[in-house]
Amino acid sequence: MMKKFMAAAMAVLMVAGLAGCGASNKVETGVEDGVLTVGFDAEYPPYGYMDENGEYTGFDLELAEAVCEMEGWKLEKKPINWDSKDAELNSGAIDCIWNGFTRNGREDDYTFSVSYVDNSQVMVVAADSGIASFDDLAGKKVGVQQASAALDVLEGDQAELSATFASLDQFADYNTAFTELQAGALDALAIDIGVAKYQINSRGDGFVMLDDALNAEEYAVGFKKGNQTLADTVNKDLAALAKDGTVAELAEKYGIADMVSLKAE
């Protein structure tokens, strides 16, 4: 009986140990069964959005696809609510946040890839609004996306500026916010410069960016804290994609060639 009990106990311990190794591997590599699940904001062009054919595309998603091709992985594109990104990442529902994700000020919360885009937060206003500087925003209604870098800076380094606004209205996505700006329900919109350029170009004349930027920042791929193995793999592939011209080609395609910081060595 004692021998049978010991054998059963050893079997349980072995199963638990194997399960533990599997869980550890998931945390270490972030890729299970050869599938890289990327979380992204589906209304954040040109980095991630739905095109006219109903397909998810964008600079970041095509870059992720190129990395997956190099590794032999399948790319799973998972649209997420931006204010739920941490829960999605920490639960393992996604392997990374790859979608115009600002690393500045978040370095202690995630493991990041190398920076690949230089970005800044800007203010967009109607061309005929009469708003020409930050001073002119006093008493105005300003919009911003929920849980965005623009909101962070307006509640942080630029809190003194935002205190002069009549209101700081938060929106789930920038397409909705731009519609409100276009309708005159907002006087200005705080937004990433790359997204601002895309929206202005796609919507035609009628909007301008103020000359001064709210801040400067960098985009990187965000992984769960401690997932250095996956970050190192992506970094290696991004360097190769910069060297073979893929990064520059995609940046040109999506109109952000002047913003890309990842260059061929």
Side-chain angles (χ1 to χ4, degrees), residues 6 9 15 23 42 55 66 79 85 105 124 184-185 201 225 232:
M6 291 297 294
V15 171
E55 299 292 331
K85 59 186 179 295
V124 174
N201 291 337
K225 189 70 174 178
D232 289 344

Side-chain angles (χ1 to χ4, degrees), residues 227-255:
N227 196 349
Q228 192 61 53
T229 299
L230 182 54
D232 289 344
T233 300
V234 170
N235 284 340
K236 170 181 63 69
D237 293 341
L238 288 177
L241 292 168
K243 186 175 183 179
D244 71 13
T246 300
V247 173
E249 181 181 340
L250 289 176
E252 189 68 34
K253 175 180 177 179
Y254 287 100

Side-chain angles (χ1 to χ4, degrees), residues 1-14:
M1 286 296 292
M2 180 60 69
K3 288 182 178 180
K4 289 183 179 180
F5 174 79
M6 291 297 294
M10 289 297 294
V12 170
L13 288 172
M14 287 178 66

Side-chain angles (χ1 to χ4, degrees), residues 82-232:
W82 198 241
D83 58 353
S84 301
K85 59 186 179 295
D86 291 344
E88 297 276 0
L89 185 63
N90 291 327
S91 70
I94 59 175
D95 296 317
C96 61
I97 303 167
W98 198 331
N99 190 213
F101 191 40
T102 302
R103 66 176 296 161
N104 306 73
R106 294 172 169 148
E107 294 89 346
D108 294 335
D109 301 323
Y110 307 86
T111 292
F112 279 103
S113 72
V114 294
S115 300
Y116 59 89
V117 166
D118 289 331
N119 193 54
S120 56
Q121 303 298 323
V122 297
M123 284 288 184
V124 174
V125 299
D128 59 358
S129 67
I131 299 173
S133 70
F134 288 168
D135 290 341
D136 297 330
L137 293 171
K140 305 297 186 183
K141 294 186 66 175
V142 178
V144 68
Q145 186 181 32
Q146 295 170 353
S148 66
L151 178 61
D152 289 344
V153 72
L154 287 172
E155 292 181 338
D157 292 345
Q158 294 285 2
E160 188 174 339
L161 171 64
S162 63
T164 69
F165 303 160
S167 64
L168 182 59
D169 301 337
Q170 298 183 33
F171 296 87
D173 60 82
Y174 274 123
N175 283 335
T176 301
F178 245 98
T179 300
E180 293 295 295
L181 180 64
Q182 195 166 20
L186 292 175
D187 299 302
L189 188 58
I191 187 172
D192 294 49
I193 190 171
V195 182
K197 287 181 177 180
Y198 180 91
Q199 291 281 5
I200 290 172
N201 291 337
S202 64
R203 291 173 184 268
D205 296 334
F207 303 100
V208 295
M209 286 186 289
L210 300 187
D211 291 336
D212 292 332
L214 291 166
N215 74 336
E217 64 182 29
E218 297 175 324
Y219 282 165
V221 186
F223 307 94
K224 189 174 181 179
K225 189 70 174 178
N227 196 349
Q228 192 61 53
T229 299
L230 182 54
D232 289 344

